[in-house]
Amino acid sequence: MSSNLFRTKKVEQSIRDTEEPEHALRKTLSALDLTVFGVGVIIGTGIFVLTGTVAKNNAGPAVSLSFVVAGVVCGLAALCYAEFASTVPVAGSAYTFSYASLGELPAWTIGWDLVLEFALGTAVVAVGWSGYVRSLLDNAGWHIPEYLSGRDGAHGFGFDILAAALVLVLTAILVVGMKLSARVTTVVVAIKVTVVLIVIIAGAFFIDSGNYDPFIPKAQPGEAGGNLKAPLIQLMFGWAPSNFGVMGIFTAASVVFFAFIGFDIVATAAEETRHPQRDMPRGILGSLFICTALYVAVSIVVTGMEKYSKLSVDAPLADAFKAIGHPWYAGVISFGAAIGLTTVCMILLLGQTRVFFAMSRDGLLPRFFSHVHPRFRTPHRPTILLGVLIAVIAGFTSLSELAELVNIGTLFAFVVVAVSVIILRRTRPDLHRSFRTPWVPFLPILSVCASLWLMLNLPAETWLRFAIWMVIGFFVYFLYGRTHSRLGREAADAGGQPSGSGG
């Protein structure tokens, strides 16, 4: 029983599965496409909203250092992802990596986690996009009825028609093909980055050096608390992270980590990349470096334009320009945020469908969803199914409190990938690795510790919800996945252990 739960799937077998005609995805992406995807999904509400929140409440002008800390944590994970994505160029990201190193049950666990992470992420971003668009329409004098804006109308009915429509349109684009998706993303990312550069360049002329004093405000210990909304580490040890001071920088880092979520989704497109061994590391590391540099620059500019204690927490960049008498820039920023969120939503949906597709191809989910479209060579069945479900969720549900599940899910994936790198180095030293994570096992261990630290700074209720979802996942695996596993059935047909066992 235990050997079946931890049977591994050889890398060579995973790659052979991608060559079967009915399951083969079209390879169209380049290193530039991957980098654009990474930048497209990373730059979202984080850079437009979180900067002001953490500067005002946690770190002051030193929020720029918080972005550096969060970027380093993601960088450690990115180095591990880069090795796996170039060595195992198969759809599924952390799910596929853990199947090759940790075994079937751990692979199912991380796949189930990623399905939740990407689904909630897509819905939350779609709802956020809807809010920006409604604001722009209201400014233009066009008003959407209350009952179609996600708020309860006169009859107690509320459906966010814009959020649902966005998800459905993006679903259609993803069904048609990855190259079209890449072209749409390239255009939108160009607009989004241009808006960010406008903030940096234009804002630099309005910096008042006096706003940087003090750069690291004096520490203010947080109040102790005992409810589930408090960070888990606070409940465990009876203390709360400090606001401001040096510790405030690290507290802020656990918050601004939200702004970096998404670079790992680049790894889900490995199977659709023309030269994954060369281009996957470039796309993952390149997009993360670009976004970290932009985040640091924006945080320096906005805290220089306006005193950190006066920053808005809802729209800090736009309001900073309003405060200095330049509302035109504020409108441009709001437009950029609305446009930019479309790519975030699309790439999150892309990531989820690829994980679902990979799990289906392995038999852990119904294999009906593992067949690709005969013309477009995309996983159209899971894309349509998940797109419709997420559209309904985004239309009917406000998921602000569940958004933190996206964060804990990502950090959990980081931990699994870092551990998998160490294990696969020991079990399969013979594999060709076009990119090698440096300083193994020390760097992956450091990545695990850094990710766990940020996880402990999340609310206890987030951990509880995450645990409930994982328990549901175990029931699904034992009721369906274990008995329908392709690897298990091949082993049964062979009358012995699976060829991948112990691989």
Side-chain angles (χ1 to χ4, degrees), residues 14 39 48 57 152-153 189 218 237 245 288 329 345 419 449 456:
S14 296
V39 174
F48 295 109
N57 299 329
D152 290 343
V189 169
K218 186 177 180 180
F237 298 104
L288 184 60
Y329 288 111
C345 193
V419 172
C449 294
L456 289 173

Side-chain angles (χ1 to χ4, degrees), residues 116-255:
L116 174 70
E117 172 195 339
F118 295 154
L120 290 181
T122 306
V124 169
V125 172
V127 172
W129 175 87
S130 174
Y132 275 108
V133 172
R134 286 199 308 271
S135 176
L136 290 173
L137 291 177
D138 288 342
N139 292 338
W142 300 337
H143 305 290
I144 295 179
E146 288 286 311
Y147 63 90
L148 292 179
S149 61
R151 297 184 289 269
D152 290 343
H155 303 288
F157 173 82
F159 184 81
D160 195 331
I161 187 68
L162 292 178
L166 173 67
V167 175
L168 293 177
V169 169
L170 296 180
T171 297
I173 292 175
L174 289 175
V175 167
V176 171
M178 279 294 287
K179 198 59 185 178
L180 174 60
S181 306
R183 288 169 180 163
V184 171
T185 303
T186 300
V187 173
V188 176
V189 169
I191 296 173
K192 181 160 55 176
V193 172
T194 299
V195 170
V196 173
L197 291 176
I198 288 174
V199 172
I200 295 171
I201 296 172
F205 291 97
F206 304 108
I207 289 177
D208 180 354
S209 59
N211 290 330
Y212 293 130
D213 185 23
F215 188 74
I216 303 179
K218 186 177 180 180
Q220 299 175 6
E223 296 180 2
N227 57 54
L228 289 178
K229 293 186 179 295
L232 182 64
I233 195 170
Q234 173 181 329
L235 298 182
M236 292 171 60
F237 298 104
W239 55 271
S242 297
N243 293 328
F244 305 111
V246 174
M247 285 306 299
I249 295 174
F250 293 98
T251 302
S254 67
V255 179

Side-chain angles (χ1 to χ4, degrees), residues 21-26 167-168 170-178 272 349-350 352-354 356-358 360 367-389:
E22 68 271 26
H23 305 302
L25 300 174
R26 180 172 292 167
V167 175
L168 293 177
L170 296 180
T171 297
I173 292 175
L174 289 175
V175 167
V176 171
M178 279 294 287
E272 294 158 277
L349 182 58
L350 161 72
Q352 187 194 38
T353 58
R354 270 44 179 184
F356 197 97
F357 170 76
S360 172
R367 284 178 61 80
F368 171 81
F369 297 105
S370 66
H371 295 275
V372 299
H373 194 280
R375 176 184 175 186
F376 302 127
R377 311 305 299 173
T378 57
H380 60 298
R381 291 173 178 174
T383 302
I384 294 172
L385 170 69
L386 296 170
V388 171
L389 288 176

Side-chain angles (χ1 to χ4, degrees), residues 2-87:
S2 61
S3 62
N4 290 339
L5 296 180
F6 293 94
R7 55 194 170 204
T8 57
K9 185 178 182 181
K10 281 190 176 182
V11 173
E12 294 85 354
Q13 186 175 353
S14 296
I15 295 176
R16 283 198 302 272
D17 289 346
T18 69
E19 298 169 352
E20 298 174 351
E22 68 271 26
H23 305 302
L25 300 174
R26 180 172 292 167
K27 299 180 182 296
T28 59
L29 302 179
S30 64
L32 177 60
D33 292 328
L34 295 173
T35 302
V36 169
F37 270 134
V39 174
V41 74
I42 296 172
I43 296 181
T45 52
I47 197 169
F48 295 109
V49 177
L50 288 181
T51 306
T53 302
V54 295
K56 186 172 184 176
N57 299 329
N58 302 109
V63 63
S64 57
L65 300 181
S66 300
F67 277 111
V68 172
V69 171
V72 169
V73 173
C74 291
L76 294 173
L79 290 170
C80 298
Y81 269 90
E83 173 170 326
F84 257 120
S86 60
T87 306

Side-chain angles (χ1 to χ4, degrees), residues 73-88 97 263 267 281 284-285 413-422 425 433 435-448 451:
V73 173
C74 291
L76 294 173
L79 290 170
C80 298
Y81 269 90
E83 173 170 326
F84 257 120
S86 60
T87 306
V88 192
F97 307 157
F263 81 86
I284 293 172
L285 297 172
F414 286 3
V415 171
V416 170
V417 170
V419 172
S420 298
V421 165
I422 299 174
R425 282 283 188 97
R433 294 170 168 84
F435 180 89
R436 298 176 68 88
T437 303
W439 306 312
V440 173
F442 302 106
L443 189 145
I445 290 174
L446 184 59
S447 177
V448 169
S451 297

